[in-house]
Amino acid sequence: MKAVIVCVSVSHGNTRRIAEAIGEVLDAQVVDPADIDPADLASYDLVGFGSGIFTMNFHPRLREWIRALPPQDRRRAFVFATSGMVEPPFPRYTRSLTALLEQRGYDVVDLFTCRGFDTWWPLRIIGGLSKGHPDTRDIQAARSFAEGLRARLTASS
């Protein structure tokens, strides 16, 4: 299975650390959207899309890049994110990115989220949220997620 992970990680490297843990298991390169030609995604069996969460949504640069993707022929994808807080029931930012990917022809097969150190402006005053995350448990959870994903996709091939 040939995989790639498209990741925007801008604040503390939280999301990049998670992407790299997943990438090690999937033997996938982690790239910034600016560093991959969207047409090249067609050569991958699985594409991961992720970023930190900013004002209850994925990074605008990732969303804009996905909106500009050429339609795909039902490529498999997964979504991942780091956030200072747990995803609230409404609005679900993972649902909005999943819907966007499905509009571009991707079949989102799974998603992963975990805590990440968050120092968005008002949180900076109190020293941020989720200090120390992602921690070793979060990294191991990301690896376990990738192992399960690989096993399911290999079995279904």
Side-chain angles (χ1 to χ4, degrees):
M1 175 176 60
K2 186 176 176 188
V4 67
I5 299 173
V6 181
C7 172
V8 175
S9 183
V10 298
S11 295
H12 303 287
N14 300 327
T15 311
R16 182 75 185 205
R17 288 176 46 211
I18 294 298
E20 288 172 353
I22 294 170
E24 286 175 15
V25 173
L26 297 178
D27 193 27
Q29 181 181 9
V30 178
V31 297
D32 185 272
D35 297 332
I36 187 167
D37 183 340
D40 291 345
L41 296 183
S43 68
Y44 291 94
D45 303 309
L46 178 66
V47 183
F49 296 93
S51 80
I53 299 303
F54 298 84
T55 60
M56 300 308 296
N57 212 335
F58 283 81
H59 195 281
R61 191 161 46 97
L62 180 65
R63 292 186 324 230
E64 290 165 15
W65 189 81
I66 291 170
R67 280 188 195 99
L69 288 175
Q72 296 293 317
D73 188 21
R74 300 314 300 168
R75 295 275 175 217
R76 293 182 296 189
F78 66 93
V79 170
F80 66 100
T82 59
S83 177
M85 296 182 283
V86 174
E87 181 176 28
F90 299 100
R92 304 257 332 178
Y93 45 77
T94 54
R95 279 192 201 151
S96 65
L97 193 72
T98 297
L100 182 58
L101 287 165
E102 288 172 346
Q103 290 171 6
R104 305 311 307 151
Y106 285 89
D107 180 19
V108 178
V109 296
D110 212 343
L111 61 93
F112 177 83
T113 62
C114 73
R115 296 289 186 96
F117 183 45
D118 187 350
T119 55
W120 179 61
W121 180 80
L123 301 175
R124 215 174 290 150
I125 296 168
I126 61 167
L129 287 181
S130 300
K131 293 178 187 174
H133 288 273
D135 60 14
T136 55
R137 285 188 197 151
D138 299 321
I139 299 295
Q140 184 53 48
R143 294 180 65 75
S144 294
F145 162 80
E147 289 164 357
L149 181 61
R150 183 184 63 203
R152 284 191 315 278
L153 295 179
T154 302
S156 71
S157 294

